[in-house]
Amino acid sequence: MLLVLVLLLSFSPSFPGQAQQEEDVDPDLGDFDLDIEPRRVPRQVKAILVKENKPHIQEMSIKTTIISRYAFTAVYCSMLNRHTAAAEGVFQIQIPAGAYISNFTMIIGGRVYQSEVRPKEKTVKPANGNPKNRKSSDTSSEQEVEVFRTAASIPGRNRAVFLLMYEELLQRRLGSYEHVTSLRPLQLVSRLSLDVTIVDHAPIVGLEVLPLRNEKITAKPEVPITTAIKNENNVWKITFSPSIVQQAKISTSGILGDFVIRYDVQRDSGIGDIQVLNGHFVHYFAPKDLPVVPKNVVFVIDTSASMLGKKMRQTKDALFTILRDLRPADHFNFISFSNKIKVWQPNRLVPVTPLNVRDAKKFIYTLIPNGGTNIDGAIQTGSSLLQDYLSDPNTGPNSVSLIIFLTDGRPTIGETQSASILGNTRSAVQEKFCIFTIGIGNDVDYRLLERMALENCGMMRRISEEADASAMLKGFYNEIGTPLLSDIRINYTENSVGYVTQNLFTNYFNGSEIVVAGKLTNQSAESLHVQVTASNNDRVITLETDVPLRRLQTETEKHVKAATAAVAAGTKVLGSGVMQGLGRSVGSVAEDFVERVWGFLSVKEGLRARLRSQTSKEREDHIQQATNLSLTYHFLTPLTNMVLEKPEVLADGTMVVAAPTVRPAADEAASPGNKLPADTDDERPQKLRGQSSSLGKGERRPVKKSITISKTSADGDPHFVVEFPLSKLTVCFNINGEPGDVLRLVSDHKYSGVTVNGRLIGAPAPPGSHKKQRTYFSSITIVVDHPQRAYIEVTPKKVILDGRDRIVLPCHTTMAVDSDALSVAISGGSNVTVTVGGNISFVILLHQYKNPASYQRDHLGFYIGNSTGLSHRCHGLLGQFLHEEVGVTQLPAPGDTNPSAFLKVRDRSVPVVRKSRRIFSGKQNVDCWFARNNAEKLIAGRYEDYVMPHMFDTGDWPHGTNKA
């Protein structure tokens, strides 16, 4: 209603042709209200305008606001009927297939016609097979764009205004987001403008405007003329406003193309970006710096007769490129199908080797299209190949398996019923792998391909007849060719959230993004616990953190205000009353953008669940839920119709006088011509369908093994503490090393396979200290040789885990990585626990300073948690004492002086004194016997014996054995 009131107040029914013209204005161009002096309009353009018989578009303004990847777009179109007789005005625009229209309004003759979204009625097909009063169309066809088109009669010498609003969540593909605006008004426009405002919680990076994307290939692709890009405090504004002459240089038909903005956001490693606003939250998760998971892929390619020519040529070109992109750890095979099914390598998948790639290219080269289309047989053959490969005991369990299926037709050979094909596919796949489907051209059963992908954790992509199939095939493969995680589960605090969208995902591919939204049911909660678990090769990765809800609410409100302020400033510059009102209405909708993201995702999820439904009751439940949400948010979806009253125009070109109507009556029938086209679903499906989002009774968090930390440690400057449980004694000593020295802390390379080294960093001594400088551990490396070589390097900022693959983890986030022999658990900003084989553990404390003094350095503290797995021959500055028994003897001193104390270590006597040490970041005091003189006589050998050439050295104790 706000939008309608704004339009009523802003709209003026007069038109430029009624105004008194200046003397130098060309009378032929007076009605066009050009943004350029008529005498500067080229003769060719003038001729095109004058010859126009249809109503002329005086102004088309498109305004988009993108807040945290959720885009609101408003299209304003002012159309003038220059003639005395009534004429039909056609408003047509392409919108992205993934978007939902949320408002459509017309103003004709000063009267406002407001759309209403209603549930779509069930239609009974008449004898001819088409629904009554509707044109036959394949609404299941998934396209990159949908065409919104409506027509209305405009009275003579009058004007019509069309206002359309739509919303979409930008999808991240190949490491960036793309926002696409179609500029195809189908005629030259007097005043054309595009204004895009982008605001994000995270810094926006890599923003660029691409050349106009259309069928016309230009020799020198350039950024569209008049494009301006501005950035102020991470609020980006992109504008494009070509004059009518500049439009004509691009296209005289009004088909300029797609205006494409590409960008990404800077993201930290960890749990992801969470936005909170008005009782709702949205969670964006796009991890990086992870090792690639090997994949097992079977390419199933249609070679029926309809693939002859350009389709087959482009398919082969794409497959040659994809072969080059396969990784050495991948396994693959090819199947071609028509009447017959041919398998390149029967009964197996082969590794990626130069010889196999060469032979695969020969197979692809010899593919010749002919015959029919046996879709069911091809899928069954590909599934059998993968099932046999995965059941082989020699096949590694840590990989991602998938079928990439391509066709340009409908099933004509073998099983041709869609329901039977889908049932056979489910039985063959058994949730062991995913199917990704690709359709080329217009004669494809896209609903079959979409359901096949949805039911088997894949996604479907449509390639139009005119598109560059080769480029699109390569791009699609690039999206799914680099799996990083599998079996992803995202959970939130029990009893604090509800109605959470999909939170279980089969795979995460590099360059994509997982988005989860939900309602906050506990409004008084101070924080929300977020936990992400996933698999990467043989590791289980767990990330956990508590996010402060009030702070996130404040931050989200801040950048929403920045966006609305930027939109308001832009519309003020434009000066149009309608556009200023439009800016205010977009701003008011954007204030609830998090809730609308939740509604948008929930509708998409309901539509996918409808397609996956196995029973009629299940299907009806999903339809009802998605319909109710569509009505709540006024979304035009495949389950709703948008109904609009038509203006009545008499034969003389005048309108029937009637009271202004904003909303049609509830029983008012809609004209079939005004039932606007439904959107098709274009969301990436996932195999796991569970909707549980809280850690309830039926779920358990990964068990956190409690680790008892001993006092045996090296922390601070560095101060060493050794606990002797059998002797019930604690000994402490200092090591005054040199900056850059690498010290051997634990050496058990030959037996348990574990070595620990630490590097020293220097710092000036604080004022009043007797020392000239201090040294601290800046990094600690744990090298493990059993069952295979791996190492973990810890610094105050990050943890590097390098074994079969390399993974980098930030220290500020709580997370865990588990594998058979080696596990790492990070308590964000506090400590890192490394567990080896279940019976050896080390805890590394993280000492960081927000505002360090000149003598302070970020450093580490090293503590031994569990040493039972270390051998009795273990050595190192700490390791040599782990299995020792010691004793203290006191000798009487002459006079009144205190008796002298000596520590008995093997055959050595070490003079010691009583001291107190603070450990565990100062949380505990330890009384200990202190050995002076850089631990002389206490440690075996000399200080130099413990200085290693580099951090990964595992050399033996230089004196022949691990014991002195």
Side-chain angles (χ1 to χ4, degrees):
M1 286 298 295
L2 172 63
L3 180 59
V4 175
L5 292 173
V6 166
L7 289 169
L8 283 170
L9 293 171
S10 308
F11 178 75
S12 171
S14 64
F15 61 95
Q18 294 175 330
Q20 185 177 355
Q21 298 175 0
E22 297 179 12
E23 293 181 1
D24 62 342
V25 172
D26 188 327
D28 290 336
L29 300 180
D31 288 344
F32 291 97
D33 195 19
L34 301 176
D35 61 351
I36 187 174
E37 293 182 22
R39 57 188 173 83
R40 298 180 60 187
V41 177
R43 188 175 303 170
Q44 180 190 11
V45 175
K46 186 186 298 184
I48 294 172
L49 294 175
V50 172
K51 289 179 182 178
E52 275 184 356
N53 292 321
K54 57 187 178 183
H56 175 71
I57 300 177
Q58 291 180 308
E59 182 178 358
M60 176 173 276
S61 297
I62 304 174
K63 183 169 291 295
T64 296
T65 304
I66 305 174
I67 305 179
S68 289
R69 295 145 250 183
Y70 193 69
F72 301 88
T73 298
V75 182
Y76 167 85
C77 178
S78 174
M79 198 176 290
L80 173 69
N81 178 8
R82 299 183 296 119
H83 308 288
T84 55
E88 185 179 63
V90 177
F91 173 70
Q92 177 174 310
I93 188 168
Q94 293 182 0
I95 67 171
Y100 287 149
I101 293 169
S102 55
N103 180 76
F104 179 66
T105 304
M106 296 190 305
I107 308 175
I108 300 178
R111 184 178 177 188
V112 176
Y113 299 87
Q114 174 73 21
S115 66
E116 179 182 4
V117 173
R118 295 180 183 175
K120 185 177 286 186
E121 296 180 2
K122 293 183 179 179
T123 55
V124 180
K125 290 187 177 181
N128 61 6
N130 290 328
K132 187 179 179 182
N133 293 331
R134 294 204 61 184
K135 293 182 180 180
S136 176
S137 63
D138 181 11
T139 58
S140 67
S141 297
E142 176 146 339
Q143 306 176 55
E144 290 299 320
V145 295
E146 287 288 339
V147 177
F148 178 97
R149 184 182 187 277
T150 192
S153 185
I154 304 175
R157 306 295 290 171
N158 217 314
R159 193 169 62 158
V161 168
F162 301 91
L163 177 66
L164 177 74
M165 294 185 71
Y166 62 88
E167 303 173 24
E168 63 174 320
L169 179 64
L170 302 187
Q171 289 187 330
R172 189 169 184 257
R173 292 177 177 171
L174 300 176
S176 62
Y177 307 94
E178 274 194 5
H179 181 264
V180 180
T181 306
S182 176
L183 298 175
R184 294 174 173 85
L186 304 180
Q187 61 173 271
L188 297 176
V189 179
S190 296
R191 297 186 305 280
L192 176 65
S193 65
L194 170 65
D195 187 339
V196 180
T197 301
I198 307 176
V199 179
D200 207 290
H201 174 70
I204 294 169
V205 296
L207 188 144
E208 60 178 336
V209 175
L210 306 185
L212 286 172
R213 185 185 291 170
N214 51 34
E215 293 73 27
K216 183 180 177 182
I217 306 297
T218 56
K220 282 182 65 177
E222 296 176 345
V223 174
I225 191 169
T226 78
T227 299
I229 303 174
K230 295 181 180 178
N231 174 30
E232 186 174 345
N233 298 323
N234 207 42
V235 177
W236 291 76
K237 289 188 69 67
I238 301 95
T239 57
F240 175 60
S241 52
S243 69
I244 197 166
V245 176
Q246 291 166 331
Q247 295 171 46
K249 289 180 179 178
I250 300 172
S251 170
T252 56
S253 64
I255 303 177
L256 279 67
D258 293 327
F259 190 93
V260 183
I261 301 170
R262 181 182 292 165
Y263 72 97
D264 198 15
V265 298
Q266 184 177 309
R267 44 179 56 84
D268 295 327
S269 300
I271 209 78
D273 180 22
I274 298 177
Q275 312 262 311
V276 176
L277 190 65
N278 300 336
H280 291 78
F281 75 90
V282 58
H283 181 185
Y284 301 96
F285 180 62
K288 57 181 183 177
D289 298 327
L290 294 169
V292 177
V293 179
K295 61 183 177 293
N296 313 309
V297 57
V298 177
F299 298 91
V300 182
I301 308 301
D302 186 348
T303 55
S304 60
S306 56
M307 287 286 290
L308 189 65
K310 178 183 174 183
K311 292 179 187 175
M312 194 75 250
R313 193 167 56 250
Q314 291 186 334
T315 298
K316 288 182 177 181
D317 180 53
L319 292 175
F320 289 144
T321 302
I322 289 170
L323 273 172
R324 291 197 299 269
D325 291 340
L326 290 173
R327 293 181 172 83
D330 296 339
H331 289 75
F332 72 107
N333 204 339
F334 282 93
I335 295 174
S336 67
F337 70 96
S338 55
N339 285 20
K340 298 179 179 180
I341 297 170
K342 297 180 182 178
V343 181
W344 168 52
Q345 295 285 343
N347 305 318
R348 62 179 183 148
L349 267 66
V350 299
V352 178
T353 64
L355 182 61
N356 286 336
V357 169
R358 186 196 68 185
D359 290 346
K361 287 182 178 179
K362 290 180 181 178
F363 176 79
I364 295 168
Y365 185 78
T366 58
L367 295 178
I368 300 175
N370 65 80
T373 310
N374 188 352
I375 289 178
D376 184 61
I379 288 291
Q380 295 302 307
T381 304
S383 300
S384 178
L385 266 178
L386 267 179
Q387 288 283 17
D388 291 346
Y389 176 77
L390 293 174
S391 61
D392 189 325
N394 296 320
T395 299
N398 307 304
S399 58
V400 169
S401 300
L402 48 98
I403 288 177
I404 297 180
F405 177 85
L406 180 145
T407 184
D408 76 329
R410 300 170 182 268
T412 60
I413 302 293
E415 180 60 68
T416 58
Q417 296 298 313
S418 294
S420 298
I421 293 173
L422 292 170
N424 294 341
T425 301
R426 285 194 300 271
S427 300
V429 172
Q430 298 177 2
E431 298 188 347
K432 297 290 181 60
F433 47 86
C434 302
I435 298 180
F436 295 83
T437 59
I438 306 165
I440 302 179
N442 302 321
D443 190 32
V444 179
D445 187 346
Y446 282 103
R447 181 167 290 276
L448 171 63
L449 295 190
E450 185 178 22
R451 286 197 62 180
M452 186 182 292
L454 281 172
E455 292 179 0
N456 298 283
C457 70
M459 58 183 173
M460 189 265 280
R461 187 61 49 84
R462 175 190 177 116
I463 300 177
S464 66
E465 202 82 48
E466 304 77 22
D468 182 349
S470 179
M472 294 192 70
L473 281 171
K474 294 172 193 172
F476 183 67
Y477 174 78
N478 288 339
E479 287 183 43
I480 62 176
T482 310
L484 298 184
L485 294 174
S486 59
D487 301 326
I488 305 106
R489 174 188 290 269
I490 304 178
N491 288 322
Y492 305 92
T493 307
E494 184 180 1
N495 300 326
S496 290
V497 298
Y499 303 100
V500 174
T501 59
Q502 180 178 343
N503 68 314
L504 306 175
F505 303 88
T506 307
N507 297 307
Y508 168 76
F509 297 99
N510 189 38
S512 63
E513 183 173 58
I514 289 173
V515 184
V516 181
K519 291 186 175 183
L520 297 170
T521 56
N522 184 359
Q523 300 289 339
S524 62
E526 293 288 334
S527 63
L528 179 69
H529 186 79
V530 184
Q531 180 193 75
V532 179
T533 59
S535 296
N536 171 267
N537 283 338
D538 58 345
R539 307 182 186 91
V540 176
I541 297 177
T542 304
L543 297 87
E544 290 188 80
T545 193
D546 292 311
V547 296
L549 293 175
R550 291 186 181 178
R551 180 171 66 80
L552 291 179
Q553 167 94 10
T554 302
E555 291 176 356
T556 306
E557 289 174 347
K558 182 180 178 181
H559 73 262
V560 169
K561 288 179 181 177
T564 53
V567 172
T571 51
K572 193 173 293 185
V573 171
L574 289 173
S576 164
V578 172
M579 286 306 294
Q580 289 182 33
L582 188 59
R584 290 194 295 272
S585 64
V586 171
S588 66
V589 175
E591 288 175 0
D592 290 318
F593 92 91
V594 176
E595 179 182 349
R596 297 191 75 85
V597 171
W598 172 80
F600 183 92
L601 289 174
S602 297
V603 171
K604 293 282 185 185
E605 190 172 296
L607 293 173
R608 291 196 299 271
R610 173 196 63 153
L611 290 177
R612 289 195 303 256
S613 300
Q614 302 301 313
T615 66
S616 58
K617 184 182 185 307
E618 185 183 357
R619 176 181 169 84
E620 286 303 316
D621 289 344
H622 290 309
I623 287 175
Q624 189 61 51
Q625 182 184 16
T627 301
N628 291 341
L629 285 168
S630 300
L631 297 175
T632 299
Y633 294 100
H634 209 261
F635 287 155
L636 178 60
T637 71
L639 303 177
T640 56
N641 279 328
M642 189 167 273
V643 182
L644 190 70
E645 181 187 10
K646 265 192 171 183
E648 241 184 291
V649 180
L650 300 176
D652 61 359
T654 61
M655 292 185 65
V656 174
V657 178
T661 303
V662 170
R663 192 178 294 271
D667 58 350
E668 189 172 10
S671 167
N674 283 288
K675 287 191 175 181
L676 306 179
D679 186 9
T680 59
D681 192 32
D682 183 19
E683 284 291 310
R684 173 173 159 186
Q686 303 292 338
K687 178 174 70 175
L688 301 176
R689 302 169 193 151
Q691 298 304 308
S692 175
S693 59
S694 62
L695 297 169
K697 296 179 181 179
E699 298 179 7
R700 293 183 300 171
R701 295 181 184 171
V703 177
K704 294 183 178 178
K705 301 175 183 178
S706 60
I707 295 176
T708 302
I709 305 176
S710 74
K711 300 170 187 175
T712 301
S713 59
D715 204 348
D717 183 15
H719 302 313
F720 288 74
V721 175
V722 178
E723 185 177 20
F724 296 92
L726 297 176
S727 307
K728 298 182 180 180
L729 291 174
T730 302
V731 176
C732 49
F733 59 93
N734 294 344
I735 292 292
N736 297 318
E738 292 296 323
D741 282 356
V742 175
L743 302 186
R744 173 65 50 81
L745 300 177
V746 176
S747 177
D748 200 30
H749 170 70
K750 278 190 175 182
Y751 303 96
S752 66
V754 175
T755 303
V756 182
N757 297 322
R759 185 189 299 277
L760 295 177
I761 187 176
S769 174
H770 65 279
K771 292 185 176 182
K772 293 183 178 179
Q773 71 169 5
R774 290 186 169 188
T775 52
Y776 304 91
F777 285 116
S778 62
S779 60
I780 290 173
T781 300
I782 301 168
V783 182
V784 180
D785 270 347
H786 303 319
Q788 60 186 18
R789 186 174 175 86
Y791 77 82
I792 296 175
E793 182 177 5
V794 181
T795 72
K797 301 291 186 184
K798 63 185 178 183
V799 177
I800 300 173
L801 172 58
D802 200 332
R804 188 172 63 186
D805 299 303
R806 178 183 172 92
I807 184 169
V808 180
L809 310 171
C811 286
H812 66 269
T813 302
T814 299
M815 62 176 67
V817 178
D818 293 326
S819 61
D820 294 337
L822 194 63
S823 299
V824 180
I826 302 175
S827 178
S830 177
N831 60 72
V832 177
T833 301
V834 179
T835 304
V836 182
N839 57 2
I840 302 172
S841 64
F842 306 112
V843 178
I844 301 169
L845 301 191
L846 307 172
H847 300 293
Q848 295 177 311
Y849 300 94
K850 289 185 178 179
N851 300 296
S854 60
Y855 53 86
Q856 292 175 323
R857 298 288 185 270
D858 289 348
H859 63 279
L860 305 172
F862 176 77
Y863 290 76
I864 295 180
N866 183 357
S867 62
T868 56
L870 295 172
S871 76
H872 282 70
R873 293 184 173 272
C874 184
H875 208 269
L877 286 170
L878 289 175
Q880 62 187 296
F881 302 114
L882 294 178
H883 300 286
E884 289 286 1
E885 290 189 43
V886 298
V888 174
T889 59
Q890 292 185 329
L891 301 178
D896 296 332
T897 58
N898 293 327
S900 299
F902 291 86
L903 183 73
K904 291 290 186 179
V905 183
R906 287 190 168 240
D907 57 353
R908 303 189 299 274
S909 292
V910 185
V912 292
V913 297
R914 294 295 287 175
K915 270 203 172 184
S916 179
R917 279 280 162 84
R918 298 178 70 86
I919 58 174
F920 305 143
S921 299
K923 296 177 182 176
Q924 182 177 341
N925 280 328
V926 176
D927 292 327
C928 59
W929 291 101
F930 178 70
R932 295 190 179 96
N933 302 324
N934 221 28
E936 186 181 358
K937 293 186 179 181
L938 175 65
I939 61 174
R942 301 172 301 154
Y943 167 80
E944 290 77 9
D945 297 331
Y946 298 90
V947 178
M948 299 296 111
H950 55 81
M951 289 289 284
F952 307 99
D953 183 86
T954 58
D956 291 332
W957 171 245
H959 299 291
T961 70
N962 269 8
K963 285 296 179 183

